[in-house]
């Protein structure tokens, strides 16, 4: 039984640390607004996970995962949203280059960073597929299904907060270096390209 629980936690931990759109969105928030923005994006990401987790526990996640049309719609919308984030980040890097030593770029509003993290996960139907397909396999034999699924979702969310929160702190620790215009432009371009690439792949897969 202990081995099953350890395996479940290990799988959730591995899925948490694999780089993906979540980390790119947190990076984007950290570069735009510093540590606070990165942490708000982190909590937005986890809030999106909690929504999918709640839907899975009540069975609605399985309905979406089984509906090809609904899955495609959410996938396309989510992909386009990532493309939008990527293009806006690339545009900001271009504007930053033109501005050079002019006034610093405006800091995003507190809600925008959280919203970006939240929507990135909320519009990712692959999470529903994961929660409805793999998560039930992690329930130890004999344990009540719904409460255990809810517990696993909470564990996944907690791991996300710890991992992305630590990443946010490390990212903003190097703020002195990251605030250099040339470094910011390069990081903006990398982050924007990654977000655009994730979105383009999602949209292409949905066709």
């Amino acid at each position: 039984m202990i081995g099953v629980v350890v395996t479940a936690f290990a799988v959730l931990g591995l899925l948490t640390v694999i780089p993906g759109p979540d980390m790119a969105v947190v990076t984007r928030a950290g570069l735009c607004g510093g540590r606070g923005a990165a942490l708000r994006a982190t909590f937005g990401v986890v809030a999106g996970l909690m929504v999918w987790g709640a839907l899975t526990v009540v069975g609605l996640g399985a309905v979406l995962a089984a509906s090809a049309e609904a899955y495609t719609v959410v996938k396309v919308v989510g992909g386009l949203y990532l493309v939008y984030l990527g293009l806006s980040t690339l545009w900001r890097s271009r504007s930053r280059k033109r501005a050079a030593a002019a006034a610093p770029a405006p800091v995003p509003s507190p809600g925008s960073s959280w919203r970006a993290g939240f929507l990135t996960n909320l519009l990712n139907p692959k999470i529903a597929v994961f929660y409805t397909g793999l998560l039930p396999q992690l329930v130890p034999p004999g344990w009540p299904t719904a409460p255990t699924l809810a517990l696993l979702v909470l564990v996944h969310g907690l791991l996300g907060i710890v991992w992305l929160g630590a990443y946010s702190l490390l990212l903003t620790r190097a703020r002195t270096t990251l605030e250099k215009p040339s470094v910011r432009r390069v990081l903006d371009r990398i982050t924007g390209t990654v977000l655009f690439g994730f979105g383009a792949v999602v949209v292409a897969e949905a066709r």
Side-chain angles (χ1 to χ4, degrees):
M1 183 64 68
I2 294 179
V4 174
V5 174
V6 171
T7 299
F9 278 48
V11 170
L12 292 175
L14 180 62
L15 290 170
T16 300
V17 302
I18 293 176
D22 295 352
M23 185 171 288
V25 168
V26 171
T27 301
R28 179 180 184 273
L31 294 177
C32 291
R35 180 179 302 176
L39 290 175
R40 286 191 292 273
T42 294
F43 283 104
V45 165
V46 173
L49 284 177
M50 294 299 101
V51 171
W52 281 118
L55 292 175
T56 299
V57 171
V58 300
L60 296 180
V63 173
L64 176 61
S67 173
E69 292 79 9
Y71 181 86
T72 300
V73 169
V74 176
K75 196 170 186 180
V76 169
V77 173
L80 291 176
Y81 181 68
L82 291 177
V83 167
Y84 160 75
L85 289 179
L87 290 176
S88 65
T89 304
L90 290 172
W91 178 257
R92 187 178 66 242
S93 72
R94 184 180 178 184
S95 301
R96 195 185 302 280
K97 183 178 181 179
R98 289 201 303 263
V107 177
S109 64
S112 64
S113 298
W114 184 92
R115 185 166 56 250
F118 178 68
L119 290 177
T120 296
N121 262 354
L122 188 66
L123 297 175
N124 185 0
K126 290 185 177 180
I127 299 176
V129 174
F130 160 67
Y131 276 172
T132 59
L134 178 59
L135 208 61
Q137 309 303 318
L138 302 179
V139 176
W143 288 36
T145 302
T148 305
L149 285 176
L151 175 62
L152 291 174
V153 170
L154 290 175
V155 169
H156 193 200
L158 180 60
L159 290 173
I161 291 175
V162 172
W163 172 250
L164 291 176
Y167 173 71
S168 300
L169 296 178
L170 290 175
L171 179 69
T172 52
R173 274 278 181 91
R175 191 164 188 176
T176 302
T177 301
L178 297 179
E179 284 181 342
K180 294 180 179 179
S182 59
V183 175
R184 288 291 296 273
R185 286 197 301 271
V186 171
L187 290 175
D188 278 343
R189 289 169 184 170
I190 293 174
T191 304
T193 301
V194 169
L195 286 168
F196 180 86
F198 275 126
V201 169
V202 170
V203 173
E205 288 179 348
R207 295 180 60 183

